[in-house]
Amino acid sequence: MRVFVTLLMSFWLLLFTASVSAQVTIIINKQSYEFTQPIRLNSVLSIVAESGDWYWPTSGIYNLNDAYAEREKDAVLSEIRMVMKDYNANSDTYRALENLYQQVSSWTVSTRVITPISYNRARLIAEENPMFQPGRYLLRISPRPSVVHFSGLVIKPGAYRHGNDLSIFSTAKSVTKASDADKSHVFVITPMGEIEKRGIAYWNIDYSQLMPGSQIYVPITGQIFSSTLDALNTRIANLAVHRILPQ
């Protein structure tokens, strides 16, 4: 009898462990949903699709089991500290790097799953209807945003009003920048997670329209005989893809 009870308990423990390991948890904004097996994107979106006027291009999925973004944030902060050692504490470049360090320190990041999100397209196009495998995810959706987010070499990083008729050049020009800011280019991080280096000088003006909800990272000016700052700018822009922005 004791052997039978032990076997029975082992069976139920194995069954419970298997069910837990197969569980999918998806947090949609702040509401958590549990699923006992892998589930497709269209089925997840069907839960909330009719409950709001969602602007799908700014939606994002974050894999809460993947620590890549947190590790990369720590690595970027370490790199900024290392680069700061090459400059005098009273120099503009040192102060710019110090400011970047404070900004990146304040970012909330999580590893983003780069995939298009649209309820209608997920229902119609198999390639845009991925499966959520067991684990924990964050799905962020919102109405059409009215802001763009500035970071980097700007005096006041944060959200700025998005103008429907403003180009990248006009938007970037309207924000006060620090003395060591790159005067020729900015990095635009689109709501879908794409990174584009765009011109803001008179010789390379980019009149493209800026999507609402975009991020603009204003880089620190690079050095003529060193690519260190250029590489750091690119790395920070890549990290910005994984930011969880205020809603």
Side-chain angles (χ1 to χ4, degrees):
M1 176 64 71
R2 183 177 299 175
V3 174
F4 174 76
V5 171
T6 301
L7 289 173
L8 186 62
M9 290 179 63
S10 299
F11 171 76
W12 283 112
L13 180 61
L14 182 63
L15 189 63
F16 173 77
T17 302
S19 65
V20 170
S21 64
Q23 183 169 291
V24 181
T25 301
I26 302 177
I27 304 168
I28 304 178
N29 292 341
K30 296 182 179 180
Q31 180 66 46
S32 182
Y33 298 88
E34 309 286 344
F35 306 93
T36 57
Q37 59 187 9
I39 183 170
R40 292 212 174 264
L41 177 61
N42 70 313
S43 297
V44 175
L45 295 178
S46 68
I47 300 171
V48 295
E50 305 301 327
S51 64
D53 185 17
W54 308 120
Y55 186 66
W56 297 117
T58 56
S59 301
I61 298 172
Y62 301 84
N63 185 345
L64 302 181
N65 300 298
D66 188 339
Y68 164 78
E70 290 85 351
R71 291 196 303 268
E72 182 61 12
K73 175 182 173 179
D74 290 341
V76 167
L77 291 172
S78 296
E79 185 172 339
I80 294 174
R81 286 196 299 267
M82 289 295 295
V83 176
M84 288 172 68
K85 294 178 181 179
D86 296 333
Y87 296 91
N88 186 289
N90 294 318
S91 68
D92 288 343
T93 303
Y94 185 94
R95 285 190 287 268
L97 289 165
E98 193 172 41
N99 181 272
L100 281 176
Y101 184 90
Q102 292 171 355
Q103 285 186 54
V104 175
S105 295
S106 70
W107 288 1
T108 299
V109 300
S110 191
T111 304
R112 183 169 181 177
V113 179
I114 303 299
T115 184
I117 300 174
S118 166
Y119 180 48
N120 289 331
R121 292 178 66 87
R123 289 188 298 172
L124 298 172
I125 305 173
E127 292 78 9
E128 296 187 19
N129 190 29
M131 182 83 77
F132 286 89
Q133 298 299 330
R136 297 180 68 248
Y137 303 86
L138 171 64
L139 171 59
R140 300 195 88 204
I141 58 176
S142 68
R144 181 184 174 93
S146 59
V147 299
V148 293
H149 303 268
F150 273 85
S151 62
L153 272 288
V154 292
I155 299 301
K156 292 184 178 180
Y160 287 75
R161 184 179 175 278
H162 173 266
N164 291 329
D165 58 344
L166 291 180
S167 65
I168 292 171
F169 169 73
S170 300
T171 305
K173 186 180 178 181
S174 67
V175 176
T176 305
K177 302 173 187 62
S179 60
D180 229 28
D182 190 322
K183 304 299 190 297
S184 300
H185 300 90
V186 295
F187 288 88
V188 176
I189 299 93
T190 71
M192 292 81 72
E194 300 164 339
I195 303 172
E196 304 165 347
K197 195 171 183 179
R198 297 301 188 93
I200 58 167
Y202 288 105
W203 57 270
N204 67 350
I205 292 178
D206 193 324
Y207 286 113
S208 301
Q209 296 296 301
L210 192 65
M211 284 190 67
S214 295
Q215 297 183 66
I216 297 181
Y217 169 69
V218 179
I220 187 171
T221 301
Q223 304 296 318
I224 296 176
F225 300 108
S226 173
S227 61
T228 300
L229 293 179
D230 291 332
L232 178 61
N233 283 323
T234 300
R235 196 169 188 182
I236 294 174
N238 285 325
L239 178 63
V241 171
H242 303 280
R243 286 183 69 189
I244 298 180
L245 296 164
Q247 285 186 316

